[in-house]
Amino acid sequence: MITLASDFGSPYPAAMKGVIRRHTDAELVDIAHDLPRGDPRAAAFWLRFVLPEFPPAVHCAVIDPGVGTDRDALVVRAGSHVIVAPDNGLAMPPARALAGGAGGEGTGEERIEAFVVDVDDPASETFHGRDVFAPTAARVRTALDGDPAAATPEEVSDALAAMDDLSPATDPVDIVLPEPRVERDDAGDPAAVEGEVLAIDRFGNVVTNVPGDLIRGRDWVRINEELTPVAETFGAVDPGERLVTVGSHGYVECDVNDGRGDGAFDLRPGDSVRIVADNVSV
């Protein structure tokens, strides 16, 4: 299996698939091609959430604002998975999640290896997805005898080390997603959290870096001073009403039932979010 993820929209991913099909008959699975444009950090967040749901595979991810510059192309082994991506930090958060096991980010740094791809002159300086990353993903798939899901991490490592066009990466770019700052009350319970907006999905839901456990059991919180109900589902509030909930990824979201949270809360990726516990009864 080879998965594909990009910010390309259409029709560019079709060209990548055509290149891969010339070299392998591997199953191709589209993750998404509408990831936030030119935003490796947001893409890394979504891939960290999605990729651990897959069995071991080759994952080709291209969000590449540095295309045509001297940035490297990387192949990153995470357990028995392999990520092919530009060296802009995109690969590392999902690699840590994959190395830590299915369902979440772990600490298995010893299970992560990064390699630099020796790139021939691409046909285009603006479409390395087709000219660099897609053929590399196909070569990696072939090197793994066609079935990454059946290979042990050691076998994957040996196969990558034997590829002539790969060499160990000494200092790959990393993206470390920010951690929230938690203020606790005298009982040790979270009283306030200083967080940050990581991403906004196509529905306008505002995804923060605040773990959901920090608001569970609350009925109300203040989001940047605005009193907002905490709800388990969108339907718990009327259409058009704001809410705070915990998304399927496990992080706090600022949302609107049948509306856009980014507009209602006036938040964008990178903005700070202060969440304060409130004991109000309404």
Side-chain angles (χ1 to χ4, degrees):
M1 179 189 299
I2 298 175
T3 75
L4 298 170
S6 75
D7 58 356
F8 291 161
S10 177
Y12 299 108
M16 295 174 62
K17 293 178 182 179
V19 169
I20 292 171
R21 282 295 191 204
R22 293 209 306 266
H23 299 283
T24 175
D25 61 356
E27 177 185 7
L28 301 181
V29 177
D30 290 303
I31 302 292
H33 295 292
D34 58 354
L35 291 170
R37 286 183 295 178
D39 189 345
R41 190 182 81 157
F45 168 79
W46 289 119
L47 294 178
R48 185 185 71 167
F49 168 54
V50 172
L51 295 189
E53 303 298 335
F54 282 83
V58 178
H59 307 286
C60 183
V62 190
I63 291 80
D64 193 15
V67 63
T69 69
D70 60 356
R71 65 96 185 92
D72 288 325
L74 289 183
V75 170
V76 179
R77 182 188 69 84
S80 293
H81 292 258
V82 179
I83 301 173
V84 180
D87 186 16
N88 57 18
L90 169 64
M92 303 313 289
R96 285 189 287 271
L98 292 168
E105 184 158 1
T107 59
E109 298 285 353
E110 73 281 357
R111 303 181 68 208
I112 297 174
E113 293 179 286
F115 301 85
V116 174
V117 183
D118 181 13
V119 177
D120 293 330
D121 288 338
S124 168
E125 290 298 339
T126 61
F127 196 5
H128 288 186
R130 176 196 64 191
D131 299 340
V132 176
F133 299 107
T136 298
R139 290 197 301 275
V140 168
R141 175 63 155 69
T142 300
L144 296 175
D145 292 328
D147 189 6
T152 67
E154 294 74 19
E155 289 169 337
V156 175
S157 178
D158 290 344
L160 296 179
M163 293 180 63
D164 292 339
D165 59 342
L166 300 185
S167 58
T170 57
D171 189 22
V173 177
D174 197 358
I175 291 175
V176 178
L177 298 176
E179 294 290 335
R181 184 171 64 85
V182 182
E183 303 170 13
R184 298 188 180 273
D185 59 21
D186 292 341
D189 296 322
V193 183
E194 296 280 355
E196 184 175 323
V197 176
L198 292 179
I200 296 173
D201 69 17
R202 66 184 301 267
F203 298 102
N205 300 324
V206 178
V207 182
T208 75
N209 67 333
V210 178
D213 288 345
L214 295 179
I215 66 164
R216 293 191 195 278
R218 303 285 184 181
D219 294 322
W220 296 84
V221 294
R222 292 188 181 275
I223 302 292
N224 293 345
E225 304 300 330
E226 293 291 331
L227 189 64
T228 309
V230 178
E232 292 186 0
T233 66
F234 288 87
V237 302
D238 292 334
E241 293 296 317
R242 306 189 324 165
L243 70 146
V244 173
T245 192
V246 180
S248 58
H249 38 65
Y251 291 88
V252 172
E253 292 187 3
C254 303
D255 302 335
V256 171
N257 183 16
D258 196 22
R260 294 191 64 89
D262 53 349
F265 288 89
D266 191 24
L267 290 171
R268 302 292 181 269
D271 285 354
S272 61
V273 178
R274 181 171 174 82
I275 303 176
V276 179
D278 200 300
N279 294 322
V280 66
S281 178
V282 177

